[in-house]
Amino acid sequence: MNGFVDAVSADRQTVNGWVACTDSWEPPTVRAYLDGREAGITSYGPPRGDVQSADVVNVQFRIWFEVPLAADDILAERLSVVVTRDSGSQVLPPSGGCRQAELAAIRARFGPYLAGGEKAHAQTPPASDIGAGTTAAGPPRARPTAPGPWTPAEPPKAPPPPARALEIPGAIVTGFAVRQEGRLRCSRGAVYSAGSLVHESLRRGGFAGDLVVPEDPDRLQVDAEQTLPGRWLYGGHWMGQFGHFITETLTNLWPGPEGIDGLLFHRFIFDSEPRAWQVGLLEMCGWAGVPIRIVDSTAVRVEHLVVPERPYKPNQCAGQEAVRVWDAARPAPRVGPAVFLSRSRLAQDGRAVPGDERLDEAMATRGFEVLHPQEMSIGEQVAAAASAPLIAAVSGSALHLSAFAPGSSRVLEVGDRRTHSRPLPNQRVIDAARGRLSAFVPYRGDSDARDLGATVAEIDRALWE
């Protein structure tokens, strides 16, 4: 026996079955094809007891589909479940029980339209009778729910109240400076109005591993040799690090570009030279062509400065103003494949351990499209994340692309040596702000290598249960 397709779930979004194998820890590849195109996400579960008792080593599989199957996809052979081994590929047939169940489902759905039925003379069953697999008549298919032990994301701190923006004529923006004090980095660089600190301009760091804290005095008399004419928006700190730019810099631009002559930022401890991907994100949010000024160590005066409250508190919480900015960057909605954001081709990855590079193959086997964000344009990255019903990645900045995905998308975070047993606080903040469900796979292994078998088993358990 090679295996069978055993059942289709009631919501027609999962197909279950089993496949024979030589080692349950390394099952053969099982993929689904719908009308000849690869579809679905495969996860592997424990052996079927009745098959095991017949001395057949096996694993169960479950294939989850982004869009529910049509009523007759299996019996009409539009859906094929293919198992691939070193010796070649074979199509797994539906079991007798599966065939009978599918026939019964078709009869129940289409019976009234068959000969002798009360609707036998209707030309076409309505969309509600045809089911989610048909799109020619009726509304588009609904976005899916996801499998697994998903829990609602909770931020480390309660979401902030609605943000406000201050209008400050003749504002002084002081130069940026930083000093080390133990593990902390104490920074200066803020907005002052008539010598008084504008507290809304401060970055509230120092929470849950964030080691950069402000120490700007409440009163400071400082002059500036240069004055920027016009009305500028203060965008906080220009973050050179990918995830921090998405979460902290971009979200400060929530008031929008109307009536703004330029964007003013402070530099930060990261590289603060504008990069193409940063400018691209600004353009996607409606800021194309607006001048950018980054304050380094020299103070400047601004004729008129808009200072918005920061809706994103690092490692703490985020307000809906941040979500509106992420939505502004998102392209027109569409349903794409589930994606795994790989780190395997990064030129430098200080958190990588042996075994990480094999995650790509494991996730591809399970139906994820493996992406290497650093090889894509920023527009392609945002579009891939925004259209994915399920986004998976090892903990880190790449997974912060999920900020651009709607709340109906799910996030599967795979722990690394830094996170081990819980998700990154900033990822929790993003997921909670989006109102989504997420799952976390703990790090399995030691400081020298990832235990790939144990990690993949945890991933399968998350996708299976």
Side-chain angles (χ1 to χ4, degrees):
M1 289 188 292
N2 196 34
F4 285 103
V5 175
D6 279 336
V8 180
S9 63
D11 62 7
R12 311 200 66 78
Q13 281 198 257
T14 58
V15 168
N16 302 324
W18 64 271
V19 62
C21 58
T22 56
D23 184 349
S24 61
W25 284 102
E26 294 187 10
T29 300
V30 178
R31 287 193 174 98
Y33 295 86
L34 190 58
D35 291 327
R37 300 180 63 181
E38 187 174 338
I41 302 166
T42 304
S43 59
Y44 300 92
R48 259 188 59 161
D50 56 341
V51 178
Q52 196 87 347
S53 64
D55 295 328
V56 177
V57 180
N58 74 96
V59 294
Q60 295 184 78
F61 64 82
R62 175 175 295 158
I63 305 172
W64 171 72
F65 296 91
E66 298 160 5
V67 177
L69 297 171
D72 60 344
D73 274 341
I74 289 182
L75 296 184
E77 298 184 355
R78 286 192 291 270
L79 176 72
S80 300
V81 177
V82 178
V83 56
T84 302
R85 312 175 191 274
D86 293 339
S87 58
S89 299
Q90 290 179 294
V91 175
L92 292 180
S95 66
C98 181
R99 286 181 178 275
Q100 293 300 319
E102 287 298 283
L103 284 170
I106 290 173
R107 291 192 188 100
R109 190 177 296 272
F110 294 109
Y113 299 95
L114 302 178
E118 61 186 36
K119 301 180 182 179
H121 299 291
Q123 291 184 346
T124 307
S128 60
D129 285 347
I130 294 175
T134 298
T135 57
R141 297 175 175 181
R143 294 212 34 124
T145 56
W150 309 101
T151 57
E154 293 289 341
K157 287 190 174 183
R164 61 175 183 157
L166 306 180
E167 303 269 350
I168 302 177
I172 293 289
V173 181
T174 60
F176 181 80
V178 63
R179 66 180 183 86
Q180 194 82 28
E181 184 172 305
R183 297 181 63 227
L184 292 178
R185 295 188 185 187
C186 303
S187 69
R188 286 197 178 195
V191 176
Y192 283 81
S193 176
S196 295
L197 175 65
V198 179
H199 287 270
E200 287 80 359
S201 69
L202 297 180
R203 177 185 184 270
R204 301 295 183 179
F207 185 83
D210 185 294
L211 301 177
V212 184
V213 296
E215 61 171 6
D216 302 271
D218 285 335
R219 294 286 303 173
L220 182 66
Q221 294 296 330
V222 61
D223 201 4
E225 295 183 0
Q226 183 183 12
T227 297
L228 297 178
R231 188 169 183 262
W232 290 64
L233 176 67
Y234 178 66
H237 293 83
W238 184 270
M239 299 289 187
Q241 202 267 359
F242 186 78
H244 287 276
F245 190 87
I246 290 173
T247 55
E248 295 190 58
T249 303
L250 203 62
T251 56
N252 291 333
L253 308 183
W254 61 265
E258 185 175 355
I260 298 297
D261 299 311
L263 294 173
L264 187 66
F265 302 89
H266 272 107
R267 65 153 298 155
F268 198 59
I269 60 172
F270 310 125
D271 173 30
S272 293
E273 187 70 23
R275 306 295 180 188
W277 63 266
Q278 295 168 312
V279 175
L281 276 174
L282 293 183
E283 292 175 348
M284 292 164 65
C285 290
W287 294 93
V290 178
I292 298 170
R293 174 73 180 268
I294 299 174
V295 176
D296 199 332
S297 58
T298 304
V300 297
R301 183 185 301 274
V302 186
E303 183 180 1
H304 199 102
L305 187 64
V306 179
V307 181
E309 285 186 301
R310 303 192 186 206
Y312 193 96
K313 319 296 183 187
N315 291 342
Q316 301 171 66
C317 58
Q320 286 305 298
E321 295 84 3
V323 174
R324 289 200 294 270
V325 174
W326 295 330
D327 282 344
R330 199 170 69 204
R334 67 180 182 87
V335 179
V339 298
F340 176 68
L341 305 175
S342 172
R343 301 174 64 94
S344 65
R345 295 182 188 171
L346 289 176
Q348 294 181 329
D349 187 359
R351 298 201 305 274
V353 294
D356 280 358
E357 73 284 353
R358 296 174 61 196
L359 281 172
D360 291 6
E361 182 180 356
M363 299 305 282
T365 297
R366 283 151 182 80
F368 287 80
E369 182 176 353
V370 177
L371 302 179
H372 300 274
Q374 74 278 5
E375 299 175 0
M376 306 164 65
S377 72
I378 189 61
E380 291 170 337
Q381 294 179 51
V382 171
S387 64
L390 178 56
I391 305 169
V394 173
S395 301
S397 289
L399 197 54
H400 292 356
L401 280 167
S402 60
F404 302 108
S408 56
S409 298
R410 290 357 184 203
V411 165
L412 177 62
E413 183 177 354
V414 180
D416 63 8
R417 290 181 300 176
R418 175 177 59 162
T419 53
H420 269 278
S421 59
R422 60 180 182 270
L424 285 177
N426 270 333
Q427 190 60 50
R428 290 171 56 194
V429 171
I430 293 170
D431 293 341
R434 277 295 185 189
R436 67 165 52 102
L437 304 180
S438 60
F440 180 77
V441 171
Y443 178 75
R444 298 301 185 208
D446 53 31
S447 58
D448 296 323
R450 182 185 294 276
D451 186 331
L452 184 67
T455 300
V456 170
E458 292 277 3
I459 291 171
D460 282 338
R461 188 173 297 116
L463 296 174
W464 181 268
E465 293 178 359

